[in-house]
Amino acid sequence: GIKVQKDKTQLTVSVKRFVKKLDNISDYESEEILEEKNYVAALGIRAEGSVRNGSCVSGGEVYLFQTPKRSSKMAELASELAQTPGQSVVPGHSECPEKTAKTPQSSSNFLWAELAWKCNLKKKEFVSTTPYRLRKRLSAPDSYLESESEYSASCSEEEDEEDQKEVSTVSTGQKTPAKTKATSVPPPRNTLAKKVKEDKMSNLVEEYFEAHSSSKVLTSDRTLQKLQKRRLNQQTLHDLLKKAPLAYAAEIKELNQQHESLFSKWMLQLHLGFNIVLYGLGSKRDLLEKFRTSILQDSVHLVVNGYFPSITVRSILNSITEEVLDHIGTFRSPLDQLEFIIRRFKEDSSLELYVLIHNLDSQMLRGERSQQILAQLSSLQRIYLIASIDHINAPLMWDQAKLSLYNWLWYETTTFSPYVEETSYENSLLLHQSGSLALSSLTHVLRSLTPNARGIFRILAQYQLENKDSPSYPGLSFQDFYQQCREAFLVNSDLTLRAQLTEFKDHKLIRTKRGADGVEYLLIPVDDNTLTDFLEKEDEDV
Amino acid sequence: SNDSEDTELRFVTCQSLWNQIKSETEQIQEDLNKQLFDNLVNFLRRSHSEFQEKTAEWTCRMKSREIPTAALVLGVNVTDHDLTLRSLSEVLQDNVTPYVALLEAKDCPGIKNLIQKLMGQLMNCYIDVGSLEDEDSVQVSQSRIRCSMTSLINWYGNVTKKTDSETPSKKTTSSSRHWQSPPVVVVFKDLESFTTKVLQDFIVISSQHIHELPLVLIFGIATSPMIIHSLLPHSVSSLLCIELFQSLSCKEHLSTIIDKLLLTPQFPFKLGEKVLQVLLNIFLYHDFSVQNFIKGFQLCVVEHFYSQPLSVLCCQLVDSKKRVNSLSHDQCENIRRLPSFRRYVERQASEKQIALLTADDFLKETIQKLLEELHVYHENYVPVLRCLHVFTSSLPKYPLGKQIRELHCACLENRVWETEEYESSLQLARMLNKSDLVTMLQQCVEIFVSSSGKEFDKTAEKLEEFLTQFQKLEAEAFQEQDVSVSSQKELQKKTDLYHLQKTLLELKESRRSKKLTKFEMLRFEVVDYIDSLVRNYLVPADHKTLHEIVYFNTASVLRGHLNAAPRTALHTALNNPYCYLKNEALKSDGGNISNKAPDICIAYKLHLECGRLINLVDWLEAFSTVVTAAEGPNADTPSSDQVDDIIHARFIRAVSELELLGFIKPSKQKTDHVARLTWGGC
């Protein structure tokens, strides 16, 4: 008897200690929170912020982890949006099941409670042995029909079923046991905040692992082909969009006018040694174009279309040296070229250059080296840079050193204009690739080559087309290729062929690949339709 | 209408003001670096003397295998290093040696590039020193010379011989500044970024040649000197003879800048509290870069002169008085529109009010008077602020902040004497001991004596008077001490608990009722006097009439330009287009957007509901459901398969725009799917 008593006292003592500890922690934490708030407040000083300042959202809303989503949610939202005309919002919205799934912080908590409760009723062994998912299935009630959507029929069966069950447990679980639990065990006041925070944390963790647990994709299997819809090509898309009226043209125009009123200020600031970067939703191409035509008419300026898929820093530097500085000659490396430009600009104080870059953050320019070179260019006193960025992660391109070279002034220029030019070079999934760009570049390059070289390329192209149906076609091996070219009297030694191939490679006309057996295989990295078109065109010419 | 607002004059004023500020900051920078540079030059001299003596002793030769190295700890604000190091190399080139090379890690991926770069820079600086005729020949040879240590040594031998022979005839001026056989200084700008291999190779190789080539290394270090040992193994670091130099911390640098630029009546332009706070926050929370702080300051100057037409009066008092006389009518109207001036007018008698609002001449006279008042306010503000800082900066827990900039911000924000912090710091000041109080008073006297304000003669006198009173007290204090000692002795005698308690109670009683000691009274007087000074002179600037002319206060503009958040702007535009497009149809409450929103917003909103992958067909269907519903009921509802071509096209556009913005990317995991790249934004 004595032993037990001792244990008991110890237990209570330890419990007390534990509670005390918790108190300490919560105190400490609240202090921490306070400090955090101070920090946020210090950072968030934006008194008398302008009316349309888009940056008054807290970071927590913008940057989040992936959370589990149901496949039918999009359709639900769509029908909801379609039903609610204009701005009216369903008043009891927060009670419908979509919302509970959206904020699972509260609901899945209750799920746990319910699970424990049910398992206790059934079999105690389950609690310890069954994995999480299985437990959930066991405890799932059969009332999930109520939250099902009309689109579930088209979904891939197995995964979705599980998914639905999950959701329904959430929605039912929230109804009854939640309240009873909340009322029956009121947690001590002091630890409440702490507990809530902890729950939130564990929920986040849970959600994170749930979202990343399976590589299976919970989406429907429908494809565009089944839609009986012809794929549009670039041209028809363009024509179709022309027919569609631009929404809110008046408001967009007003926005643009606001931005245009800043032109003179931009000029002033450019001349004072700052460079200007524009950000915000919508194409800023027209705005910059307007700036150019209205202000830069009489000065030397260079427009760089960063979104163009084959733009390089080299080409930018070339156009500066060749067309602005009238220098004829080549350079060993871009760095040499940059040094040359810097020297010229330092020597000759009458030189002035405005550089306009549309999409400084494009695929081709976002590399570290390109940005370094552009930053160094922009740091020159009489080179004035004005650029636009669109990608959400664009600012990550720049470290402190580059930022200080660029010396940016940021301007928010949300225009809502469609990105017509910028997206026209993208390989959209939805578009039928016409390949007109690739074709034109092919013919362009080949026209400058000797007839023999063209013949060589032709042999490779024909061979590739003959084998287009075999999925494992590795390319034409060099030896075979050499044999064929020799038979056609196009080359007389494998050295000449190699020289020719190097030239092709430089123009990115062919690609070489080493097979498993170590043999070199040659491929033309263009899709078959384009290649067919190309050969037809060649035949016409000849 | 442009000229009526003195645009041109404003621009000229802005430029001249900025140039003044710029040269001032450069001067400050130079002064701050002077100590460091002097130390470095001394170090070079010392380490180099051995080479010049050319002692053949064995121990010396052993030692001379070591390369003298200066480890220069520059702090984390990497962007400012460049400026420091460049001025260092200028100083060295002026005083020590023409052969200074600055190396950066990004130019030196391998030892070969490093030597190449090094030789290039050294030979170019030879050109600078030498005559310009042989520039071409050197340039040609530079590319041809095999880049190796031997050629470098040969070059050095040639150059020093040449200069020796040429010295008397040609370059008396340059060689007089430089030493005989000057050392070759190599500066590694960012030591941390160099690859270990390159550094090791370079050090080992050059230590072999230290006899022929007097090399001195300078390491620019951003983190801590420990980095040398983690970069270099012992065998290599033992070849270096390292001496440590510490540059001034960026916080001290900033304090000096603030001291010289903001807390001085020298410059007419002032920063408002919020603006200063923004600049300080960018400094403290983002980059620690003084250069960026100055850049922000420049932007403030430009913005102020650009946006405030009355900034034409933001110049030295003498000029501004002249300029007031030539103000146009429009400008007078601008003045009448200033909120602070309106408040001023309301306080005047009614006939004076009418005169101020109607007669330009009378207005101009008043403006002159007010400007002078403002000027006097600034002249008085700074010494009193410094004086208050002397008191508050030594209080425990620093209720009003440790730095004078914090105190400055507090004073600008609102009436500082109404804040809790001020109250508690006064209370603490009333408990200061005598020696502290006396030293503080002495400091304050110095501040007031050296200040330019005319009103402070009396203040200084008053403070001196306090000081003499304290000295007088000292004599009296002896007697009092005796009394207290005797009472304490009495206390010690009695060991009885009851009596002890009784005496203690009596003592307490007497202390409560007892009048304050003379010292305490005097201390109260001092604190009260300081308090009165604060109330008189540290009135927040925005209570002053015409403060808009010299204070720049639009912090939001500054923040928007310097510390922008592009992604939140995108987020707002996509989630709440009404923010930008003021159309009633777009107005929404809560998190929902209306179905009439621009296409990209709807596509974005729909994609938020998806997981990692998005089925394009589902997306298209959902999109068309929303868009057709938005277009009105009269449009016939299409079945799920038949989607209007135009809507299809609009959808394609929206999706490719989202791809451009980086929200999604094409995926090959499943046919006709795209992958989501972001998770926030609900």
Side-chain angles (χ1 to χ4, degrees), chain A residues 278-309:
Chain A
L278 309 178
Y279 66 92
L281 183 67
S283 168
K284 291 159 278 286
R285 205 185 121 79
D286 293 342
L287 187 70
L288 280 178
E289 225 14 55
K290 188 98 188 257
F291 176 70
R292 186 180 77 82
T293 48
S294 63
I295 294 198
L296 299 182
Q297 264 321 317
D298 302 326
S299 29
V300 185
H301 57 260
L302 176 73
V303 180
V304 179
N305 293 326
Y307 51 81
F308 195 71

Coordinates of all heavy atoms in Angstrom, one line a residue, chain A residues 278-309:
Chain A
L278 N 10.1 47.1 -63.7 CA 8.7 47.1 -63.7 C 8.1 45.7 -63.3 O 8.6 44.7 -63.9 CB 8.1 47.5 -65.0 CG 8.6 48.8 -65.6 CD1 7.9 49.1 -66.9 CD2 8.4 50.0 -64.7
Y279 N 7.2 45.7 -62.4 CA 6.6 44.4 -62.1 C 5.1 44.5 -62.0 O 4.6 45.6 -62.0 CB 7.2 43.8 -60.8 CG 6.9 44.6 -59.6 CD1 5.8 44.3 -58.8 CD2 7.7 45.6 -59.2 CE1 5.5 45.0 -57.6 CE2 7.4 46.4 -58.0 CZ 6.3 46.1 -57.3 OH 6.0 46.8 -56.1
G280 N 4.4 43.4 -61.8 CA 2.9 43.5 -61.7 C 2.3 42.7 -62.8 O 2.9 42.4 -63.8
L281 N 1.0 42.3 -62.6 CA 0.3 41.5 -63.5 C 0.1 42.2 -64.8 O -0.3 43.4 -64.8 CB -1.0 41.0 -62.9 CG -1.8 40.0 -63.7 CD1 -1.1 38.7 -63.9 CD2 -3.2 39.8 -63.1
G282 N 0.2 41.5 -65.9 CA -0.1 42.1 -67.2 C 1.1 42.4 -68.0 O 2.2 42.7 -67.4
S283 N 1.0 42.4 -69.3 CA 2.1 42.6 -70.2 C 2.5 44.1 -70.1 O 1.7 45.0 -70.1 CB 1.7 42.3 -71.6 OG 2.7 42.8 -72.5
K284 N 3.8 44.3 -69.9 CA 4.4 45.7 -69.8 C 5.0 46.1 -71.1 O 5.7 47.1 -71.2 CB 5.3 45.7 -68.6 CG 4.6 45.6 -67.3 CD 5.5 45.2 -66.2 CE 5.7 43.7 -66.2 NZ 4.6 42.9 -65.7
R285 N 4.8 45.2 -72.1 CA 5.5 45.5 -73.4 C 4.9 46.8 -74.0 O 5.7 47.6 -74.4 CB 5.2 44.3 -74.3 CG 6.2 44.1 -75.4 CD 5.7 43.0 -76.3 NE 5.6 43.6 -77.7 CZ 6.6 43.8 -78.5 NH1 7.8 43.5 -78.1 NH2 6.4 44.3 -79.7
D286 N 3.7 46.9 -74.0 CA 3.1 48.1 -74.7 C 3.5 49.4 -73.9 O 3.7 50.4 -74.5 CB 1.5 48.0 -74.7 CG 1.1 46.9 -75.6 OD1 1.9 46.5 -76.5 OD2 0.0 46.4 -75.5
L287 N 3.5 49.2 -72.6 CA 3.9 50.4 -71.8 C 5.3 50.9 -72.1 O 5.6 52.0 -72.4 CB 3.8 50.0 -70.3 CG 4.0 51.2 -69.3 CD1 2.8 52.1 -69.4 CD2 4.1 50.6 -67.9
L288 N 6.2 49.9 -72.2 CA 7.6 50.2 -72.5 C 7.7 50.7 -73.9 O 8.5 51.7 -74.2 CB 8.5 49.0 -72.3 CG 8.9 48.7 -70.9 CD1 9.7 47.4 -70.8 CD2 9.7 49.8 -70.3
E289 N 6.9 50.2 -74.8 CA 6.9 50.6 -76.2 C 6.5 52.1 -76.2 O 7.1 52.9 -76.9 CB 6.0 49.7 -76.9 CG 6.3 49.1 -78.3 CD 7.8 49.2 -78.6 OE1 8.7 48.7 -77.9 OE2 8.0 49.7 -79.7
K290 N 5.5 52.4 -75.5 CA 5.0 53.7 -75.4 C 6.0 54.7 -74.9 O 6.2 55.8 -75.4 CB 3.7 53.8 -74.5 CG 3.0 55.1 -74.5 CD 1.8 55.0 -75.4 CE 1.1 56.3 -75.6 NZ -0.1 56.4 -74.8
F291 N 6.7 54.2 -73.9 CA 7.8 55.0 -73.3 C 8.9 55.3 -74.3 O 9.3 56.4 -74.5 CB 8.4 54.2 -72.1 CG 9.6 54.9 -71.5 CD1 9.5 56.0 -70.7 CD2 10.9 54.3 -71.6 CE1 10.6 56.6 -70.1 CE2 12.0 54.9 -71.0 CZ 11.8 56.0 -70.3
R292 N 9.2 54.3 -75.1 CA 10.2 54.4 -76.1 C 9.8 55.4 -77.2 O 10.5 56.3 -77.5 CB 10.4 53.0 -76.7 CG 11.6 52.9 -77.7 CD 11.7 51.5 -78.3 NE 10.7 51.3 -79.3 CZ 10.8 51.6 -80.5 NH1 11.8 52.3 -81.0 NH2 9.8 51.4 -81.4
T293 N 8.6 55.2 -77.7 CA 8.1 56.1 -78.8 C 7.9 57.5 -78.3 O 8.1 58.4 -79.1 CB 6.9 55.5 -79.4 OG1 5.9 55.2 -78.4 CG2 7.1 54.3 -80.2
S294 N 7.5 57.7 -77.1 CA 7.1 59.0 -76.7 C 8.3 59.8 -76.2 O 8.4 61.0 -76.3 CB 6.0 59.0 -75.7 OG 6.4 58.4 -74.5
I295 N 9.3 59.1 -75.7 CA 10.4 59.8 -75.0 C 11.8 59.6 -75.6 O 12.6 60.5 -75.7 CB 10.4 59.5 -73.5 CG1 9.1 60.0 -72.9 CG2 11.6 60.1 -72.8 CD1 9.2 60.2 -71.4
L296 N 12.0 58.3 -76.1 CA 13.3 58.0 -76.5 C 13.6 58.2 -78.0 O 14.6 57.7 -78.5 CB 13.7 56.5 -76.1 CG 13.6 56.2 -74.6 CD1 14.0 54.8 -74.4 CD2 14.6 57.2 -73.9
Q297 N 12.6 58.8 -78.7 CA 12.7 58.9 -80.1 C 14.1 59.4 -80.6 O 14.7 58.9 -81.5 CB 11.7 59.8 -80.7 CG 10.4 59.1 -81.2 CD 10.7 57.8 -81.9 OE1 11.6 57.7 -82.7 NE2 10.0 56.8 -81.6
D298 N 14.6 60.4 -79.9 CA 15.8 61.1 -80.4 C 17.1 60.6 -79.7 O 18.2 61.1 -80.0 CB 15.7 62.6 -80.2 CG 14.5 63.1 -80.8 OD1 14.2 62.6 -81.9 OD2 13.8 64.0 -80.3
S299 N 17.0 59.6 -78.9 CA 18.2 59.1 -78.3 C 18.5 57.7 -78.7 O 17.6 56.9 -79.2 CB 18.1 59.2 -76.8 OG 16.8 59.1 -76.4
V300 N 19.8 57.3 -78.5 CA 20.2 55.9 -78.9 C 19.6 55.0 -77.9 O 19.8 55.1 -76.7 CB 21.7 55.8 -78.9 CG1 22.1 54.5 -79.4 CG2 22.3 56.9 -79.7
H301 N 18.9 54.0 -78.4 CA 18.3 53.0 -77.5 C 18.3 51.6 -78.1 O 18.3 51.5 -79.3 CB 16.9 53.4 -77.1 CG 15.9 53.6 -78.2 ND1 15.6 54.8 -78.7 CD2 15.3 52.7 -78.9 CE1 14.7 54.7 -79.7 NE2 14.5 53.4 -79.8
L302 N 18.3 50.7 -77.2 CA 18.3 49.3 -77.7 C 17.2 48.5 -77.0 O 17.0 48.6 -75.8 CB 19.7 48.6 -77.2 CG 19.9 47.2 -77.4 CD1 20.1 46.9 -78.9 CD2 21.1 46.7 -76.7
V303 N 16.4 47.9 -77.8 CA 15.2 47.1 -77.2 C 15.6 45.6 -77.3 O 16.0 45.1 -78.3 CB 14.0 47.4 -78.0 CG1 12.8 46.6 -77.4 CG2 13.6 48.8 -78.0
V304 N 15.5 45.0 -76.2 CA 15.8 43.6 -76.1 C 14.5 42.8 -75.8 O 13.9 43.1 -74.7 CB 16.8 43.3 -75.0 CG1 17.1 41.8 -74.9 CG2 18.1 44.0 -75.2
N305 N 14.1 41.9 -76.7 CA 12.9 41.1 -76.4 C 13.4 39.9 -75.7 O 13.7 38.9 -76.3 CB 12.2 40.8 -77.7 CG 11.6 42.0 -78.4 OD1 11.2 42.9 -77.7 ND2 11.7 42.0 -79.7
G306 N 13.4 40.0 -74.4 CA 13.9 38.8 -73.6 C 13.1 37.6 -73.7 O 13.7 36.5 -73.6
Y307 N 11.8 37.7 -74.1 CA 11.0 36.5 -74.2 C 11.3 35.7 -75.4 O 10.9 34.6 -75.6 CB 9.5 36.9 -74.2 CG 9.2 38.0 -75.1 CD1 9.0 37.7 -76.5 CD2 9.1 39.3 -74.7 CE1 8.7 38.7 -77.4 CE2 8.8 40.3 -75.6 CZ 8.6 40.0 -77.0 OH 8.3 41.0 -77.9
F308 N 12.1 36.3 -76.4 CA 12.4 35.6 -77.6 C 13.2 34.4 -77.3 O 14.2 34.5 -76.5 CB 13.1 36.5 -78.5 CG 13.2 36.1 -80.0 CD1 12.0 36.0 -80.7 CD2 14.4 35.6 -80.5 CE1 12.1 35.6 -82.0 CE2 14.4 35.1 -81.8 CZ 13.3 35.1 -82.6
P309 N 12.9 33.2 -77.8 CA 13.5 32.0 -77.3 C 15.0 31.9 -77.6 O 15.7 31.1 -77.0 CB 12.8 30.8 -77.9 CG 12.0 31.5 -79.0 CD 11.8 32.9 -78.7

